[in-house]
Every structure is written in C-alpha cells, then in structure tokens.
C-alpha cells in the first residue's frame, strides 16, 4: 500500500467537566488527529493520545507532530510501499515515540482494513460485540461533589467506578464510595503519586475490596511495585510503566503487577496491544483497556481491542457524553452499561468533517 498524503490537525474540544488527577486538572482536550490518504484515494483516521503537556507521559501533542513530520513520515516515505504490519519495524530505529507511532500505524491500518473490507475488531481477534463500560472519576473538590458525580455515573449504567487518588485524597473517598455502593466494582488510580515508603498507608485500602490499585509509584520503579505488592493485598495494576510487550513481560516476571491496563497509544499501537493481550491470556493475567480521554476516533478503535477475549475487566471506555458535549464522530451511547463494538470496515467510524473544521486550530499536510 502506498500513502499519498498525511494530514495532521490539532483540534480543541472542551470537556463536559474538569478532570483532576494527581498531575493536574484538564478542562479541555487538545488532540492531534491524523488522516492518511492512499494512492488510490482511500482514507484512514487515527488520533494521537498524547496530552498537551508531558505530565502523564513524556510525549506531548506538539512533540508528537514534530516527531512524525521530521522523522517518522520520511522513514515511511523512504520505504514507499508497505503494509500496516510493517510500520512498527520501519519506525523502530526512532526511540520511544510510542504515541506518535501508534497514531500513524492506526491510521494506516484503518485505510488498509477499509480497502480489505475487514473491521478492526475482526482483524484484532475480537470475540465480543459489545463491551462493559467503566468510568474514571477525577479528584473531586469535596466528598459531596464526589458522591454526586459517582451517583450520576451509576445512574447512567456504568459497571465499574475508578477513583483518581493522591496523598490526602485516598482512603476517605474510597471508604465513602464503598459504604454507599457495597457491590459496585471499584478501583483506584494514583498516576505515580506515592513513594515506596507509602506501603503501610496504601494497605489501608485493603478492607474496601478494590479490583486494583493502578500505578501507585513512579513509572520506572518496577522493583518498588514488586515490593509494594508484598505489603498490600489489593492487586497492583501497572499503566504508565507498561510501554511495550517486553516491559509487560518483565513486570509480570518480577511480580510488580498482576493485572495490566493496555493503552494502545502507550505501547506503540494496536498490534503491540494484541501481543500484550496474548501474553496476559497465556499467563492468566486479567487485562483491561485504558482511556486517554479519546474522541470517537480513538474510542472506536479501543472498543475493537476491548472486545478481545482476555479483556475481562471493564475498561475506561466510557460513552461520548462522559467527555464531550459534541463528539467528532456519531456519539458512542451506552446501553445497559455496554458500548457496541463497531463492526464496519476499519475503525468503523469517520469524523464529522464540518465539525472537525470548526474546532481545528492548525492543519498541515505531508505528501510522499
Ligand atoms: O479516557 O476515560 C478516560 C480517562 C481514563 O483515567 C483515565 N486516564 O492514568 O488512566 C489514566 C488516565 C490518563 C489520562 S488522564 C488525563
Ligand atoms: Mg492510569
């Protein structure tokens, strides 16, 4: 397959409510949208999950755009004729840049699958037609505000609640949410906010029957997570630390994690994600699909992945209305706590280009 043109847009979408995590508060989402057009005129879409500022991961929107334009696109153009399955190998000499690489691979894969008439879900090996939805709840301004937010999500059907925590906002909110909803599947995400010495404190979460604690320590502290796992009963689940199949293998071997959050952008794409899924199935490790406040473009592809059989826990794959007043695709609507997996060729959705134009702040082209 030959790609004739790459289009990069930066869009800005306000969030329906501020999202506070241990590393900051987001009120809107700046997203880099990639569109590829093949030599035959078939189009493929993807979004790059990097945030505006490198607080969740080292990548950020403007850096990803530069990496693509300066290094990744020229490397692909040099090969000229390739398949989506070749992209990771072609881009391998350029270190890191998982989110930038994932976006390119996904847009190219979308175009390829549209040509071949296969849905991304079928291509990846999905076995489900709908997936259970969880929701990630930011650090609230008060206990009352938290309870109100969690109630509204539970009323709308979410099947799992994830609370963002940080030192000073952890045991009490968990205790209160657990008291009010004793049966709800509940988990927490610290985004690296704790230290190795916080083991005894985090063990105070143990009585509340949490599914997992996500990424309590620094992303590079694999041994620290393994030590922590010996003093907390709640399972540890790594997010930021898992950036490849290799890092997943190592974290499992070191017993630093017993559950894995898979985010395709964080690991370099959907093909690497399937390898991590397969590893976890072999090792009987539950996996679930994380979220990066994606638009409908990224959500569609995440749902395809979350439909694989090893994804046994609900993901952060929430309905469009959880994030945006208007999504860039037909909105994903939850029914009975599930989202349908797109089943038409490629990622199965396309953006509303008029709306996209109205929220685009920059648009650049790269021809091959
Ligand atoms: O997409 O619903 C979503 C957000 C899920 O909490 C979420 N993501 O660490 O897992 C995580 C965070 C990363 C993004 S926070 C801005
Ligand atoms: Mg996380």
């Amino acid at each position: 397959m030959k790609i004739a043109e790459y289009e990069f847009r930066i869009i800005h979408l306000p969030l329906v409510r501020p999202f506070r995590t241990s590393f900051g508060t987001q009120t809107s989402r700046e997203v880099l949208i990639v569109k590829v057009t093949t030599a035959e005129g078939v189009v493929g879409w993807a979004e790059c999950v990097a945030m505006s500022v490198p607080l969740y991961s080292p990548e950020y929107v403007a850096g990803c755009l530069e990496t693509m334009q300066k290094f990744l696109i020229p490397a692909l153009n040099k090969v000229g004729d390739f398949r989506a399955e070749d992209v990771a190998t072609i881009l391998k000499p350029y270190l890191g840049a998982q989110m930038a690489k994932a976006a390119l691979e996904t847009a190219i894969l979308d175009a390829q699958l549209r040509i071949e008439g296969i849905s991304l879900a079928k291509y990846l090996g999905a076995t489900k037609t709908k997936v259970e939805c969880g929701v990630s709840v930011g650090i609230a301004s008060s206990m009352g505000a938290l309870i109100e937010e969690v109630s509204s999500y539970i009323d709308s059907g979410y099947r799992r609640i994830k609370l963002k925590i940080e030192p000073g906002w952890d045991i009490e909110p968990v205790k209160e949410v657990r008291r009010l909803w004793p049966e709800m599947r509940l988990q927490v995400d610290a985004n690296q906010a704790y230290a190795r010495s916080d083991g005894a404190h985090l063990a105070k979460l143990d009585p509340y029957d949490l599914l997992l604690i996500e990424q309590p320590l620094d992303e590079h502290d694999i041994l620290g997570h393994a030590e922590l796992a010996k003093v907390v009963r709640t399972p540890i689940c790594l997010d930021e630390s898992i950036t490849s199949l290799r890092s997943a293998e190592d974290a499992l071997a070191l017993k630093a994690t017993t559950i894995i959050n898979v985010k395709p952008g964080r690991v370099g794409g959907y093909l690497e994600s399937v390898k991590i899924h397969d590893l976890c199935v072999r090792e009987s490790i539950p996996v679930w699909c994380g979220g990066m406040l994606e638009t409908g473009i990224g959500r569609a592809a995440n749902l395809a992945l979350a439909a694989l059989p090893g994804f046994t826990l609900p993901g952060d794959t929430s309905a469009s209305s959880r994030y945006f007043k208007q999504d860039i695709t037909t909105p994903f609507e939850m029914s009975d706590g599930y989202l349908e997996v797109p089943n038409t060729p490629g990622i199965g959705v396309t953006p509303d280009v008029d709306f996209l134009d109205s929220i685009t702040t920059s648009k650049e082209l790269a021809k091959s």
Side-chain angles (χ1 to χ4, degrees):
M1 199 171 65
K2 290 185 179 151
I3 305 297
E5 187 184 276
Y6 296 85
E7 179 193 278
F8 306 104
R9 288 169 184 258
I10 293 181
I11 61 166
H12 284 87
L13 266 179
L15 292 172
V16 289
R17 50 161 43 115
F19 187 53
R20 183 170 156 209
T21 65
S22 59
F23 57 80
T25 303
Q26 261 186 287
T27 53
S28 73
R29 189 72 174 93
E30 179 191 34
V31 191
L32 169 55
I33 301 284
V34 179
K35 174 186 166 194
V36 300
T37 308
T38 69
E40 297 78 29
V42 176
V43 165
W45 293 93
E47 79 179 82
C48 177
V49 300
M51 305 276 160
S52 310
V53 185
L55 295 173
Y56 164 81
S57 76
E59 292 185 83
Y60 60 100
V61 172
C64 286
L65 178 58
E66 179 165 337
T67 302
M68 290 185 201
Q69 290 174 317
K70 215 166 165 173
F71 306 111
L72 308 184
I73 304 291
L76 293 171
N77 285 343
K78 204 165 159 208
V79 177
D81 193 356
F82 53 82
R83 287 179 59 81
E85 294 82 356
D86 305 322
V87 170
T89 309
I90 298 169
L91 302 182
K92 199 167 190 292
Y94 300 95
L95 303 179
Q98 283 87 345
M99 293 176 178
K101 291 174 179 175
L104 287 175
E105 183 190 84
T106 308
I108 291 162
L109 183 57
D110 183 34
Q112 180 175 307
L113 294 176
R114 285 178 201 264
I115 292 168
E116 294 173 354
I118 303 168
S119 70
L120 179 64
K122 180 156 195 253
Y123 172 83
L124 297 177
T127 51
K128 296 176 261 184
T129 57
K130 56 180 191 173
V131 302
E132 271 193 304
C133 300
V135 60
S136 177
V137 184
I139 293 167
S141 54
S142 66
M143 197 66 82
L146 175 75
I147 299 310
E148 202 176 301
E149 186 174 347
V150 172
S151 300
S152 76
Y153 292 139
I154 290 178
D155 290 347
S156 56
Y158 284 101
R159 291 168 166 265
R160 183 274 276 150
I161 300 291
K162 160 167 139 182
L163 301 181
K164 289 287 189 182
I165 59 167
E166 65 180 2
W169 181 263
D170 44 25
I171 317 298
E172 286 306 312
V174 166
K175 185 177 170 189
E176 188 59 6
V177 170
R178 178 49 87 217
R179 186 181 71 77
L180 291 167
W181 292 281
E183 306 295 330
M184 176 54 69
R185 279 178 286 182
L186 187 61
Q187 64 191 53
V188 293
D189 185 1
N191 289 108
Q192 316 182 48
Y194 292 88
R196 283 187 176 193
S197 54
D198 287 324
H201 178 71
L202 289 171
K204 292 185 194 152
L205 292 168
D206 286 344
Y208 303 108
D209 192 24
L210 300 179
L211 289 172
L212 56 93
I213 306 179
E214 193 177 333
Q215 198 71 44
L217 309 180
D218 185 276
E219 62 176 334
H220 301 294
D221 195 3
I222 303 302
L223 281 182
H225 283 99
E227 289 302 312
L228 190 62
K230 294 179 189 157
V231 295
V232 298
R233 254 192 306 115
T234 307
I236 309 264
C237 170
L238 293 179
D239 171 357
E240 287 91 321
S241 299
I242 307 296
T243 54
S244 61
L245 172 65
R246 170 59 58 84
S247 63
E249 286 168 342
D250 290 355
L252 290 177
L254 290 166
K255 301 196 186 324
T257 193
T258 48
I259 297 177
I260 288 184
N261 164 330
V262 180
K263 287 181 185 164
R266 203 194 56 224
V267 302
Y270 288 86
L271 305 183
E272 188 80 357
S273 299
V274 172
K275 292 181 192 163
I276 296 174
H277 162 272
D278 295 349
L279 163 75
C280 292
V281 169
R282 282 197 304 276
E283 303 278 329
S284 302
I285 295 292
V287 275
W288 56 284
C289 185
M292 290 293 290
L293 307 171
E294 284 92 346
T295 71
I297 294 284
R299 193 161 312 286
N302 282 349
L303 289 168
L305 180 70
L308 267 67
F311 284 78
T312 50
L313 294 172
D316 285 342
T317 40
S318 311
S320 295
S321 61
R322 146 74 182 84
Y323 310 94
F324 314 113
K325 195 157 155 258
Q326 184 175 350
D327 206 334
I328 64 172
T329 59
T330 305
F332 281 92
E333 286 168 4
M334 202 166 55
S335 164
D336 192 27
Y338 286 86
L339 284 180
E340 297 253 341
V341 179
N343 59 9
T344 52
I347 63 170
V349 298
T350 48
D352 169 344
V353 176
D354 288 339
F355 180 55
L356 202 59
D357 283 343
S358 74
I359 55 169
T360 297
T361 52
S362 77
K363 187 161 122 178
E364 295 181 44
L365 294 179
K367 307 243 182 225
S368 64

